[in-house]
């Protein structure tokens, strides 16, 4: 199955996967390293050893930057409590799902993390991972999410419009 021609999809550069993730959710090039660094400096003034990004300026932004960037566009992030089970997620209320997964780099001594978004558009979910050559349709979003949750080392964050009540996104026990 092919993606719709109007689906925006950025490709991976350096450790800018969080920039690509945010832009893919917004479906346009809204953020770059300069704008993300400005958010970092707003949280911590240190330019060299800022805890929210790589000290060498190659990206590697943290979840705080994701949340702040999306808030600027009236979106909010709801951390998914993996103990609840994926079947509790109300997928129809989501704008996107953000995954943070382990990622190996060329340096085998460094095991980093990779951000990517799955975006809902026209009642379908699309994997917009910046490491993919093109977006892919996800036929079973619950199974896709469950596979990541069951891996034990993935973090899952749910993105909703600002006016959506967080308590309605995941059914509580």
């Amino acid at each position: 199955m092919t993606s719709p021609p109007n689906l925006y999809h950025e490709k991976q550069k350096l450790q800018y996967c969080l920039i690509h993730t945010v832009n893919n959710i917004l479906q346009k090039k809204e953020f770059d390293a300069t704008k993300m660094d400005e958010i970092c400096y707003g949280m911590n003034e240190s330019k060299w050893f800022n805890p929210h990004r790589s000290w060498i300026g190659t990206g590697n932004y943290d979840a705080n930057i994701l949340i702040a960037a999306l808030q600027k566009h009236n979106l909010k992030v709801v951390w998914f409590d993996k103990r609840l089970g994926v079947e509790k997620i109300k997928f129809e209320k989501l704008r996107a799902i953000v995954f943070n997964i382990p990622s190996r780099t060329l340096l085998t001594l460094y095991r980093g993390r990779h951000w990517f978004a799955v975006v809902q558009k026209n009642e379908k979910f699309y994997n917009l991972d910046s490491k993919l050559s093109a977006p892919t349709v996800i036929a079973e979003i619950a199974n896709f999410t469950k596979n990541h949750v069951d891996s034990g080392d993935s973090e899952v964050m749910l993105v909703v419009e600002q006016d959506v009540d967080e308590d309605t996104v995941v059914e509580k026990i």
Side-chain angles (χ1 to χ4, degrees), residues 23-80:
N23 288 340
N24 287 339
I25 291 169
L26 298 175
Q27 285 294 283
K28 62 182 177 178
K29 184 171 179 59
E30 181 69 27
F31 288 94
D32 58 17
T34 301
K35 286 183 179 179
M36 287 298 191
D37 286 348
E38 287 172 9
I39 295 172
C40 291
Y41 304 145
M43 293 182 182
N44 184 306
E45 294 177 2
S46 175
K47 299 232 190 259
W48 288 104
F49 296 105
N50 192 299
H52 303 290
R53 68 173 182 86
S54 166
W55 66 273
I56 57 174
T58 58
N60 201 23
Y61 300 99
D62 71 13
N64 296 300
I65 306 309
L66 169 76
I67 293 166
L70 291 174
Q71 282 176 341
K72 290 178 180 286
H73 291 272
N74 297 315
L75 297 172
K76 64 182 167 185
V77 175
V78 178
W79 285 80
F80 176 63

Side-chain angles (χ1 to χ4, degrees), residues 1-7 27 91-97 117-128 135-142:
M1 206 177 245
T2 60
S3 64
N6 61 344
L7 199 58
Q27 285 294 283
F91 289 101
E92 69 278 3
K93 294 190 177 216
L94 304 182
R95 167 91 172 256
I97 306 169
V118 169
V119 174
Q120 181 172 199
K121 189 168 185 177
N122 300 327
E123 298 179 13
K124 291 183 182 179
F125 285 88
Y126 298 90
N127 185 345
L128 299 181
T136 58
V137 175
I138 299 172
E140 296 288 333
I141 189 60

